[in-house]
Amino acid sequence: RSYIYNRNAVSPDLLKHEMYHFHITEIFAREIRKILAAKSEQADFKKKYDSILVEEKEMQKNYDYDSYHGYLLSKQAA
């Protein structure tokens, strides 16, 4: 069951939608791990980290908008 406004709703499609949010987060977590592994200077790391977070938030927002929060399954699959 996914986090939704109606706690009694159970939907495999909704769960898939939420899993894609998780996948998007993982993509950006990998980017953060790369800059950590590069052992950048703290100021440089902070700048890159902040940029990655902004990009991740934008992608999450666009994903919800484009898929109409999971209701447009064809858009979600794309």
Side-chain angles (χ1 to χ4, degrees):
R1 197 164 64 103
S2 176
Y3 172 80
I4 54 171
Y5 295 112
N6 181 350
R7 293 192 177 272
N8 296 319
V10 178
S11 167
D13 294 327
L14 181 59
L15 180 57
K16 186 181 283 186
H17 174 81
E18 296 303 326
M19 286 299 297
Y20 279 114
H21 278 296
F22 180 81
H23 295 316
I24 291 169
T25 300
E26 177 60 25
I27 290 168
F28 290 96
R30 290 178 185 191
E31 291 298 316
I32 291 170
R33 285 187 208 108
K34 283 181 192 176
I35 61 171
L36 282 171
K39 298 182 179 171
S40 303
E41 293 291 324
Q42 186 172 357
D44 190 40
F45 169 79
K46 178 73 171 136
K47 183 178 174 183
K48 290 177 183 178
Y49 175 81
D50 290 343
S51 175
I52 289 170
L53 289 184
V54 168
E55 192 177 345
E56 188 261 348
K57 184 176 181 179
E58 185 69 19
M59 185 179 276
Q60 296 284 10
K61 186 176 86 175
N62 288 339
Y63 170 61
D64 270 337
Y65 179 80
D66 291 344
S67 68
Y68 195 66
H69 296 272
Y71 288 105
L72 301 176
L73 297 178
S74 62
K75 291 286 189 176
Q76 181 171 301

